Amino acid sequence: MSDAWVLATTPELTMLTATLILAFVHVFLPAAGRTMANGIGWNAGPRDGQPARPGIITQRLERAQANMWETLPLFIGAVLIAHVTGEEGPLTFWGTQAFFWARLIYIPIYALGIPFVRSIVWLIAMGGLIAIFAAILT
């Protein structure tokens, strides 16, 4: 990491970067599960034919990934708008923190199939997103 990045970044941009890395993890985890179910040969080949149905944890990870894709563009846009307009402050700081940490915790909770807690964690992430929107709009 260059010194210029460290000096020019904000906590919100740092959390955006961390969230993008987390999005990569969301790609990798179910892909690894599908490879385990179908083998490296299937994954490296043209993937003709019907793949084996992945295990329940991989299916949950696929749903968690889809859920992340629903909110990730909103998060990216909100953080960048807050940064460009100079609206960063306590709401955006805590909003980005809540979104990232809730989305991180969401992965194992969803994979393990823990009901209700998963929904609460999702609501915390949405609360973080709402906090960023509130900072932009106020």
Side-chain angles (χ1 to χ4, degrees):
M1 179 174 355
S2 74
D3 291 337
W5 170 254
V6 173
L7 295 175
T9 194
T10 64
E12 291 83 356
L13 291 179
T14 299
M15 294 314 295
L16 175 56
T17 303
T19 301
L20 292 173
I21 293 167
L22 182 61
F24 178 76
V25 171
H26 269 287
V27 171
F28 177 74
L29 291 174
R34 287 188 299 273
T35 299
M36 288 175 23
N38 294 288
I40 293 174
W42 177 84
N43 195 29
R47 298 182 184 175
D48 294 333
Q50 197 69 332
R53 183 176 169 101
I56 191 71
I57 291 177
T58 300
Q59 292 176 47
R60 290 174 184 162
L61 289 169
E62 289 172 341
R63 290 191 298 273
Q65 177 190 35
N67 187 273
M68 177 66 146
W69 295 155
E70 292 172 359
T71 56
L72 184 61
L74 300 172
F75 179 75
I76 293 168
V79 171
L80 292 178
I81 290 169
H83 180 71
V84 169
T85 60
E87 296 296 331
E88 294 165 317
L91 280 175
T92 58
F93 176 83
W94 291 111
T96 56
Q97 296 290 322
F99 186 87
F100 172 79
W101 292 108
R103 294 310 310 204
L104 179 67
I105 294 167
Y106 190 80
I107 296 170
I109 288 173
Y110 205 139
L112 295 171
I114 302 171
F116 302 109
V117 174
R118 176 181 59 90
S119 297
I120 292 167
V121 170
W122 182 85
L123 285 171
I124 292 168
M126 293 306 94
L129 193 53
I130 290 167
I132 300 166
F133 290 151
I136 294 167
L137 297 172
T138 57

